[in-house]
């Protein structure tokens, strides 16, 4: 079974803080994704990576950056957290377009 | 812009009832997937359909891909409270790593 783990289930941060969300997978998948999920807006792709050190912007990359130094780890960075980044953040990996998700991180920015 | 529209948006039924939810688009997809998400968790892949007209069954769940590969349906027979969750469809429009996501159908099955 694919296992995708995320560093925190719940996180509370203050406006202006730098926030790191980490995702680790154990199945050697090339592709990894970061989404945010908000009521009424569904899953929106922030960034994805198809190889180590390779990344592509998704639909809503503003205010975020990513890092993929190792194949199994994909990090999402909020350079200066804002209240409108309060959301559920989901990491996923994929093989042959089938996506496997982590449990999510519920981030609240105060 | 490719879109996947899911209907209904919300559904509340009694245990034992049957239901069908829909995922529609004006675009052709090379494959369509269905996921179920429980509150506070990530989506879990249920099935993928790739051939027009394909029907797949997963216990009490029946998934169908439209002949033109533009739409899909999920039918649940004799729903149980454990079926409660958000059902999401997602499509791949070609040789693309990204998926197009519907907004989901939120299903509540009451005992």
């Amino acid at each position: 079974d694919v296992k995708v783990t995320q560093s925190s289930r719940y996180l509370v941060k203050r406006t202006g803080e730098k926030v790191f969300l980490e995702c680790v997978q154990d199945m050697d998948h090339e592709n990894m994704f970061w989404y945010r999920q908000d009521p009424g807006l569904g899953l929106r792709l922030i960034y994805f990576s198809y190889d180590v050190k390779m990344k592509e912007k998704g639909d809503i990359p503003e205010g975020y950056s990513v890092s993929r130094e190792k194949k199994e780890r994909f990090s999402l960075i909020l350079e200066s957290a804002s209240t409108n980044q309060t959301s559920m953040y989901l990491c996923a990996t994929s093989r042959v377009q089938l996506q496997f998700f982590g449990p999510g991180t519920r981030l609240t920015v105060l | 812009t490719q879109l996947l529209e899911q209907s209904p948006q919300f559904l509340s039924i009694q245990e034992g009832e049957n239901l069908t939810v829909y995922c529609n688009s004006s675009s052709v997809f090379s494959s369509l997937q269905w996921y179920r998400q429980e509150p506070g968790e990530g989506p879990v892949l249920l099935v993928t359909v790739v051939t027009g007209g394909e029907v797949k069954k997963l216990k009490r769940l029946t998934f169908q891909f439209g002949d033109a590969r533009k739409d899909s349906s999920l039918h649940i027979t004799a729903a149980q409270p454990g079926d409660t969750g958000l059902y999401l469809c997602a499509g791949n429009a070609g040789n693309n790593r990204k998926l197009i996501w519907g907004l989901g159908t939120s299903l509540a099955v009451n005992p």
Side-chain angles (χ1 to χ4, degrees), chain B residues 28-47:
Chain B
V28 175
F29 289 92
S30 59
S31 67
L32 252 169
Q33 299 157 29
W34 286 91
Y35 294 77
R36 180 170 66 212
Q37 184 179 21
E38 298 187 9
E41 300 292 333
V44 175
L45 178 66
L46 295 174
V47 79

Side-chain angles (χ1 to χ4, degrees), chain A residues 9 31 33 35 37 40-43 45 48 50 57 59 88 90 94 97-104, chain B residues 9 30-31 33 35 37 40-45 48 86 88 92 94-99 101-103:
Chain A
R9 294 299 301 269
N31 303 317
F33 305 80
Y35 293 92
Q37 186 176 31
L41 297 177
L43 282 166
L45 181 64
F48 71 101
Y50 50 90
K57 293 180 180 179
D59 301 316
M88 174 71 144
L90 291 161
S94 80
Q97 291 125 19
L98 305 181
Q99 294 200 1
F100 301 90
F101 285 82
Chain B
Q9 190 176 354
S30 59
S31 67
Q33 299 157 29
Y35 294 77
Q37 184 179 21
E41 300 292 333
V44 175
L45 178 66
T48 184
L86 179 68
L88 294 160
N92 187 280
N95 188 17
N96 195 330
R97 296 179 181 90
K98 297 190 291 184
L99 293 176
W101 290 87
L103 294 183

Side-chain angles (χ1 to χ4, degrees), chain B residues 10-90:
Chain B
F10 299 98
L11 192 54
S12 179
I13 61 171
Q14 293 301 121
E15 183 175 0
E17 290 184 25
N18 301 331
L19 66 119
T20 303
V21 298
Y22 301 92
C23 175
N24 295 310
S25 177
S26 58
S27 302
V28 175
F29 289 92
S30 59
S31 67
L32 252 169
Q33 299 157 29
W34 286 91
Y35 294 77
R36 180 170 66 212
Q37 184 179 21
E38 298 187 9
E41 300 292 333
V44 175
L45 178 66
L46 295 174
V47 79
T48 184
V49 285
V50 295
T51 305
E54 183 176 5
V55 176
K56 280 192 174 178
K57 291 193 174 185
L58 189 66
K59 296 183 181 178
R60 293 175 294 99
L61 279 60
T62 301
F63 303 85
Q64 186 161 8
F65 201 12
D67 291 341
R69 290 186 288 130
K70 293 182 179 182
D71 52 80
S72 182
S73 63
L74 159 60
H75 181 80
I76 301 179
T77 303
Q80 298 177 2
D83 296 325
T84 292
L86 179 68
Y87 288 82
L88 294 160
C89 68

Side-chain angles (χ1 to χ4, degrees), chain A residues 71-110:
Chain A
K71 190 174 186 178
E72 66 270 18
R73 189 179 297 268
F74 191 34
S75 302
L76 179 69
I77 303 149
L78 286 66
E79 296 289 342
S80 178
S82 64
T83 55
N84 62 13
Q85 292 179 310
T86 291
S87 186
M88 174 71 144
Y89 288 88
L90 291 161
C91 173
T93 73
S94 80
R95 182 177 181 181
V96 199
Q97 291 125 19
L98 305 181
Q99 294 200 1
F100 301 90
F101 285 82
T105 296
R106 173 74 63 184
L107 173 67
T108 301
V109 182
L110 302 174

